[in-house]
Amino acid sequence: MATVRSVVAEARLERLLDAFHQTHGQTALEYLLPLNSDSWNGNHAAIAALALNGYIKQCITLNFDLLIEGAVEDKGGACETVCPLTQGVSFRTGAGKSLLTIIKPHGSFAPPDASANQMDLLSATLSQIGSRPARANVQAFKSVLSECPVLFVAGY
């Protein structure tokens, strides 16, 4: 039992989801639903403040929640979120001036007002990410990275 615990403790979320996805299909991603919160925190508010004050226009995040979008919207701004590994899908949140473009390599939960299922825009497993790097998707990253400044947000 101790060996199992150590393997799970050291395993990355993407690898665990890959294993679940191989045995249970797309429904395995439902394990991620508890992460679909609308309670943004001070870190998200700081990103919103940077965008609202014109310090950043681009953000790349490995997170698929909508917390940055929520903070920007609640502060009166708007975001254009791009999910380049899910066929280049993008969506807009907020009614204010579009201030921040958010690139999400792992995809995103769909916003509540979207016609898509909330899980349809996710590329959360390693096999999904590896199978979708089309030239246009790679170009989206190169385009964003060529602009300065770009904020990169990583971490669970």
Side-chain angles (χ1 to χ4, degrees):
M1 189 61 150
T3 302
V4 171
R5 284 192 182 121
S6 69
V7 168
V8 170
E10 293 179 23
R12 295 186 49 82
L13 175 62
E14 296 85 359
R15 290 183 190 205
L16 292 172
L17 286 173
D18 228 2
F20 291 145
H21 192 264
Q22 288 173 7
T23 57
H24 299 290
Q26 191 69 10
T27 59
L29 297 181
E30 292 177 9
Y31 290 108
L32 300 172
L33 286 175
L35 300 176
N36 193 12
S37 167
D38 59 0
S39 299
W40 50 268
N41 63 32
N43 295 328
H44 305 105
I47 294 169
L50 288 170
L52 288 164
N53 288 299
Y55 293 111
I56 59 169
K57 293 183 184 207
Q58 309 276 349
C59 175
I60 298 173
T61 179
L62 301 178
N63 300 332
F64 35 76
D65 57 49
L66 297 165
L67 298 176
I68 295 172
E69 291 92 338
V72 171
E73 182 177 6
D74 285 355
K75 304 267 183 207
C79 298
E80 180 74 18
T81 301
V82 179
C83 304
L85 299 180
T86 53
Q87 315 313 315
V89 171
S90 65
F91 57 87
R92 183 179 168 96
T93 53
K97 180 181 172 190
S98 185
L99 299 169
L100 185 63
T101 299
I102 302 173
I103 307 292
K104 294 185 172 183
H106 285 291
S108 178
F109 288 122
D113 60 349
S115 60
N117 175 299
Q118 66 179 339
M119 308 299 279
D120 287 348
L121 306 180
L122 291 179
S123 291
T125 70
L126 293 175
S127 60
Q128 287 176 324
I129 293 165
S131 67
R132 296 180 180 170
R135 226 176 253 191
N137 298 337
V138 173
Q139 187 55 40
F141 290 109
K142 287 181 180 178
S143 175
V144 168
L145 292 174
S146 69
E147 298 184 26
C148 288
V150 175
L151 177 65
F152 183 75
V153 179
Y156 301 141

